[in-house]
Amino acid sequence: MMSRSYANLLDLASGNFAALGMGGERAARRMPRVMTVPGTLADLQEEEDRASSVASDVQSSPAQERIIIVANQLPIRARRRPDGRGWSFGWDDDSLLLQLKDGLPEDMEVLYVGSLRVDVEAHEQEDVAQTLLERFKCVPAFLPPDLHDRFYQGFCKANIWPLFHYMLPFSADHGGAGGRRFDRGLWQAYVLANKYFFQKIIEVINPEDDYVWIHDYHLMALPNFLRRRFNRLRMGFFLHTPFPSSEIYRTFPVREEILKALLNCDLIGFHTFDYARHFLSCCSRMLGLEYQSKRGYIGLEYFGRTVGIKIMPVGIHMGQLHSVLRLPDLEWRVNELHQQFQGKTILLGIDDMDIFKGINLKLLAFEHMLKVHPKWQGQAILIQIANPARGHGRDLNEIEGEIKESRDRINSAFSSDGYTPVIFIDRTVSVVERIAYYTIAECVVVTAVRDGMNLIPYEYIVCKQGIPKGDAVKLDSPKKSMLVVSEFIGCSPSLSGAIRVNPWNIETTGEAMNEAISISDGEKQLRHEKHYRYVSTHDVAYWSRSFMQDLERSCKDHFKRNCWGTGLGFGFLVVALDPNFRKLHIDGIVSAYEKAESRAILLDYDGTLVPQTSLNKKPTAEVIRIIKTLCADKKNVVFIVSGRGREGLEEWFMPCENLGLAAEHGYFIRWKRDQEWETCHQSTDFEWMQIVEPVMKLYTESTDGSYIETKKSALVWHHQDADPGFGSTQSKEMLDHLESVLANEPVSVKSVKKDLVLFQSNLLFLLLQGVSKGLVVEKILSSMMENGRQADFVLCIGDDRSDEDMFEDVASIVSKNLVARRSSIFGCTVGQKPSKARYYLDDITDVIHMLGALADASEDSPSFPDAPDVSDKPTLSLEY
């Protein structure tokens, strides 16, 4: 029975707002548009593509590209007019969304979709939306107040934000700032809010021409809705917070839903490699996906699509800072502060009042410095600016209490006439005042215990540099600066000249403060110059330009492939396949089968004739009956080509006297039941096994859950039951180890990971060179040609990567003259997934149904009595 919560999610996915109690809401006026038909896209003609495009009121010329930037909040400041009649709107110059336009092409049109920071009455929403669209090219999403509260305060701030900052809700309610236990109703509110944003996007989007760039954790479900509607949409996402390690993220009850939604994007961006590494680890452990790095680009192969991973920390807006540095009242503010703190050494901290900013840890470290280095008593001052808290709750109240207690204790112990060691400013500080404090500071200290990026150090460096020399007005300040930064913030890796600290270690942080203000001026200048070169060249324009270039590269093949949408709710995904890849139609293959005079039928076993996940691996009576019928047709040569050992195959297919068997990837071949097994490889030297086995045992002993499988021609190391990350690492390590050890041996070392998400088989196997399923195909067809039965019909069916050798060889047999000139060739994989085969069947049921149709079409099909059911006793076995 489907749970009520997931039934609601299906209502959301289908747009059934009434089922969620929204029928009474007054719907905002929709802008005129041509809607696409919901559903999947498959092999559309150019005319159909044009017919299903979406038009909007915001028309862009054919030559002009457009990007839709989507975020929780629009880059707009809104306030009521003094007379209470209407609203006044203006750009928010501090908004990153507005600043990133500097890195986009000049001729690219930019459209924003997001919500406003103010509540707009329902009767005003239509006029406000029209004004914002016409004047600012902004499309507002108006969420009902109750939904907005459950979406933003309830789920974003109380679930996602704490989790992504490594805080788990061990009690039912930590008091808001510290997070609360997962609530399915709040998750549904999050999904529904994302649906609101989706509805606004489809009002204005042209899916064939527009780019969509989604920002931050508020909208992680949005890519799922967009990809369901527009399979080929060019879409990127950037996360502005940390992404937690898999050990933290795996506690999230909707962990897979979020990952799958994000993987509907073409490019996913993170500030640091650590954040990206954690995301990739989660995809590996929870979805069975592995990433590849090629020519400096990291990508995840996801059902034929390559999802790019972008690592690029955001920068600051240099022009905006320079404009503030030119303000006339800045100089007198700086002079005033110089007079106030004349002869003192200033350490500066600027943070939001937040449980993750580590303000109290900073105060404790400063206290330690004053105690251990008494020369700074009466000399060093810590000015801590604490921006007002944006949240509330018990945890935050406790932190504020601790900060005030530490401040009072330090000031009580070390104050003297004209000297207060800690100056705590807990109010909103203007931009000019903040820059004035930057200018007089000898060192900026950031001790956040977790922060996505933090641009305070960047701002400080630019302000210490002052205005470029070519300008008329320039601050007369030395070009030197020092930074003490937490290693847990996003900007830390880019500041190689900063003193990095673990803020939890009070003593080392205090010593770092002492070092920062004691270091020579020459050293400070060198570090400043190094930092300024980076910050000035890697600004916000550089960041957005780099992201867009990678997004364009990730989307370049969108319209060259066929796309299939499959799955429900957050299980939805798009399978991107070669344009020639299509479903195998039974009528077509039966027609070709009936016309053929010499046929070769090559079948994989596990995943093709029996389910991969089944514990009982023996063939059913139906499979035996169909195989016997096909083998009885004198025009047919039928083979089972498997990685299994010969004993099991021989036992299971004993009733099929004319069936050929290729075991262990073709190392052993038997043409009929009454013939002997032969080997396809002339080498009988297996001394390499004696070299390899001790190495494999060493890795098996150190990898819990792994084991070795010994076959006649191969050694297989299975690690599907080991820890996914460690097992994969050990497999790669062993691969490198064995390749060097066996460099002069006739052995191939291969690492295999099956493509099925629900059934992962991780293994590393060693096989004699010259043994593969592809060579089996050549051997069988060559033998048929030598016997005067050159094939004019070839059917190969398989389901995993080991069968790709067959499909690759089947694609080339015509050029090798192994089949008749006019032949019907069918390489068919099981399941809609990327493959070298040209055809697919959905599942094993389809395979058996198709083989049954061929059996019925065979000449003089014999009537066999019911075959004994050889599947009566379960057999647990693994196949690779």
Side-chain angles (χ1 to χ4, degrees), residues 520-544:
S520 68
D521 286 350
E523 180 68 17
K524 291 177 182 177
Q525 185 172 352
L526 289 174
R527 296 187 185 220
H528 170 81
E529 289 173 355
K530 184 177 186 179
H531 288 157
Y532 184 74
R533 279 196 301 272
Y534 175 84
V535 173
S536 60
T537 55
H538 292 72
D539 60 356
V540 66
Y542 178 88
W543 170 76
S544 61

Side-chain angles (χ1 to χ4, degrees), residues 36-37 65 82 161 207 289 312 318 390 531-532 544-546 697 704 724-725 777 787:
T36 58
V37 178
E65 288 188 319
W161 177 264
L289 304 176
M312 175 63 68
M318 296 290 292
R390 287 180 286 183
H531 288 157
Y532 184 74
S544 61
R545 181 165 55 250
S546 178
K697 285 183 177 179
D704 189 34
V777 174
N787 294 326

Side-chain angles (χ1 to χ4, degrees), residues 10-289:
L10 294 178
D11 289 332
L12 292 179
S14 63
N16 187 5
F17 282 63
L20 292 153
M22 293 183 58
E25 296 288 346
R26 181 181 184 273
R29 182 183 67 86
R30 291 187 178 276
M31 302 171 196
R33 65 186 187 279
V34 178
M35 295 295 297
T36 58
V37 178
T40 61
L41 302 177
D43 201 16
L44 298 179
Q45 300 298 320
E46 186 177 351
E47 294 81 2
E48 292 173 315
D49 283 335
R50 284 199 297 266
S52 65
S53 65
V54 178
S56 76
D57 282 352
V58 189
Q59 296 291 342
S60 55
S61 62
Q64 184 181 31
E65 288 188 319
R66 188 173 70 169
I67 184 170
I68 300 175
I69 297 175
V70 193
N72 179 43
Q73 293 182 339
L74 292 169
I76 294 291
R77 295 186 187 274
R79 65 178 185 275
R80 278 222 176 260
R81 291 173 180 162
D83 58 6
R85 298 178 180 178
W87 293 86
S88 295
F89 300 102
W91 289 114
D92 181 1
D93 293 332
D94 295 329
S95 173
L96 174 67
L97 304 181
L98 184 62
Q99 296 172 358
L100 66 79
K101 289 176 64 175
D102 289 358
L104 303 178
E106 291 184 2
D107 60 345
M108 177 174 276
E109 184 181 355
V110 180
L111 190 68
Y112 293 101
V113 175
S115 62
L116 292 169
R117 295 181 178 88
V118 296
D119 292 330
V120 178
E121 298 292 336
H123 68 275
E124 298 177 295
Q125 290 177 4
E126 183 173 338
D127 292 337
V128 167
Q130 195 66 32
T131 299
L132 291 176
L133 180 63
E134 293 174 354
R135 292 180 52 196
F136 300 95
K137 292 187 178 178
C138 291
V139 180
F142 298 109
L143 273 61
D146 178 62
L147 174 63
H148 181 269
D149 184 66
R150 288 183 291 130
F151 155 68
Y152 185 72
Q153 297 295 345
F155 197 77
C156 292
K157 284 300 183 182
N159 280 122
I160 301 178
W161 177 264
L163 181 80
F164 279 27
H165 288 76
Y166 290 74
M167 179 168 284
L168 296 176
F170 292 109
S171 63
D173 190 349
H174 269 236
R180 66 175 63 161
R181 195 166 289 163
F182 180 82
D183 183 325
R184 183 69 59 179
L186 295 178
W187 160 244
Q188 290 180 346
Y190 179 84
V191 175
L192 182 55
N194 277 247
K195 183 77 172 181
Y196 268 86
F197 285 85
F198 163 70
Q199 295 287 356
K200 288 301 176 183
I201 292 171
I202 63 175
E203 290 178 356
V204 294
I205 194 171
N206 182 347
E208 294 180 3
D209 300 322
D210 291 347
Y211 290 92
V212 176
W213 187 357
I214 304 168
H215 288 264
D216 224 2
Y217 64 96
H218 314 88
L219 301 174
M220 291 190 293
L222 180 57
N224 182 71
F225 293 117
L226 288 170
R227 188 64 70 191
R228 284 181 67 88
R229 179 62 63 87
F230 311 116
N231 287 178
R232 293 183 175 89
L233 181 64
R234 298 176 292 183
M235 176 168 48
F237 177 90
F238 199 94
L239 183 68
H240 294 275
T241 68
F243 195 92
S245 68
S246 60
E247 289 304 305
I248 296 294
Y249 183 77
R250 68 194 297 188
T251 66
F252 205 18
V254 289
R255 59 191 188 183
E256 292 185 8
E257 287 89 333
I258 294 294
L259 291 178
K260 290 177 180 178
L262 290 176
L263 288 171
N264 279 305
C265 295
D266 300 295
L267 183 66
I268 305 173
F270 301 91
H271 285 307
T272 72
F273 174 70
D274 275 349
Y275 304 161
R277 177 169 57 86
H278 294 158
F279 176 79
L280 294 170
S281 175
C282 290
C283 290
S284 173
R285 289 172 175 269
M286 295 160 207
L287 301 180
L289 304 176

Side-chain angles (χ1 to χ4, degrees), residues 685-726:
D685 181 10
F686 290 95
E687 290 185 0
W688 58 270
M689 286 191 174
Q690 299 175 8
I691 301 173
V692 168
E693 198 163 12
V695 177
M696 281 193 161
K697 285 183 177 179
L698 180 66
Y699 282 88
T700 303
E701 290 171 1
S702 61
T703 310
D704 189 34
S706 67
Y707 65 94
I708 302 171
E709 182 184 2
T710 303
K711 299 194 176 189
K712 297 290 185 181
S713 63
L715 284 175
V716 187
W717 189 67
H718 294 269
H719 59 91
Q720 65 265 24
D721 295 327
D723 176 86
F726 185 58

Side-chain angles (χ1 to χ4, degrees), residues 161 165 240-242 271-272 275 357 450-454 488-491:
W161 177 264
H165 288 76
H240 294 275
T241 68
H271 285 307
T272 72
Y275 304 161
K357 299 304 182 183
R450 193 69 60 180
D451 207 347
M453 186 58 194
N454 200 313
F488 302 118
I489 64 175
C491 67

Side-chain angles (χ1 to χ4, degrees), residues 836-850:
K836 294 175 183 176
R838 290 193 61 184
Y839 300 93
Y840 74 90
L841 289 169
D842 287 327
D843 50 32
I844 292 171
T845 302
D846 276 2
V847 173
I848 294 174
H849 180 57
M850 184 271 295

Side-chain angles (χ1 to χ4, degrees), residues 625-638:
R625 184 192 68 78
I626 292 172
I627 296 295
K628 286 183 67 176
T629 303
L630 291 173
C631 292
D633 192 323
K634 296 180 180 180
K635 293 182 179 181
N636 293 344
V637 173
V638 184

